[in-house]
Amino acid sequence: PPTAPAHTIGYWKNWSSCSGGKQDALLDQALKAAGGIRIGDLLVNNCQDAADILSKSDLNGAKRATDAAYRLAAQLLGARLNFQAGAVRCAEVVAAADSGQSLLDGIGFTGLNSYKSVINTDAADMLAETLDEYNNGNLCK
C-alpha cells in the first residue's frame, strides 16, 4: 500500500522545473509518469499548466482564487499528484477526488475563463476543503 506522505499544493509548485528554484522537478516527474492528470476536461501534462492550476490561476495566468472551480481544481491536482507519488490515501480522499473530478467535468472545466456562474460553490468548496486537509497531511493517517 502507498506509504509516502501527502504534500501541499505549494510543495508541488516549488518542486518543479518551472518554479525558478533549484529543487528537483518532482511535479514534472509525476505528470510524466501519469501521462498527464485530468482535471475536469483539462489534461494537465506540463509544468506551466500545473503551476497555473496549483496557483488558482487560469492557463493565461489570470488569478482566479475567488472562483470555486479553481480552488477545487488546485486541491484536486495536488491530491492527484500525491496519489501518483505514492502518498497514503483512504476512502474519504478517493471519494472527494472522484466527486471533485465529476463536478469539474460536469461544468466543462478547461482552465480558461470563469466558472462562477455554473459551479455549485458550496459543493466545490466542501470538496476542496477535504482535499486540502489531505494535501496537508491531516487526513488518511
Side-chain angles (χ1 to χ4, degrees):
T3 58
H7 297 290
T8 66
I9 59 177
Y11 170 93
W12 288 109
K13 285 190 299 186
N14 288 333
W15 287 83
S16 69
S17 66
C18 58
S19 70
K22 296 187 187 330
Q23 299 91 335
D24 292 334
L26 300 181
L27 178 144
D28 306 65
Q29 293 169 17
L31 288 176
K32 183 177 180 183
I37 295 175
R38 188 156 301 278
I39 302 296
D41 291 344
L42 172 66
L43 181 63
V44 179
N45 60 8
N46 66 74
C47 186
Q48 190 56 59
D49 288 354
D52 284 341
I53 297 300
L54 291 168
S55 297
K56 301 173 190 142
S57 296
D58 67 24
L59 298 183
N60 295 318
K63 289 290 185 189
R64 301 282 186 176
T66 61
D67 189 325
Y70 287 91
R71 292 192 298 271
L72 174 56
Q75 295 300 336
L76 177 57
L77 180 55
R80 292 264 166 94
L81 287 163
N82 282 316
F83 294 172
Q84 181 61 38
V88 171
R89 61 183 99 166
C90 57
E92 187 176 358
V93 74
V94 170
D98 290 346
S99 294
Q101 172 61 22
S102 293
L103 183 61
L104 292 172
D105 188 46
I107 63 166
F109 182 85
T110 60
L112 297 168
N113 306 311
S114 172
Y115 297 91
K116 288 181 179 183
S117 66
V118 295
I119 188 119
N120 178 332
T121 300
D122 291 338
D125 283 342
M126 181 186 72
L127 292 167
E129 184 176 309
T130 299
L131 294 170
D132 181 51
E133 284 182 54
Y134 169 72
N135 292 333
N136 278 283
N138 298 320
L139 195 64
C140 305
K141 294 184 177 191

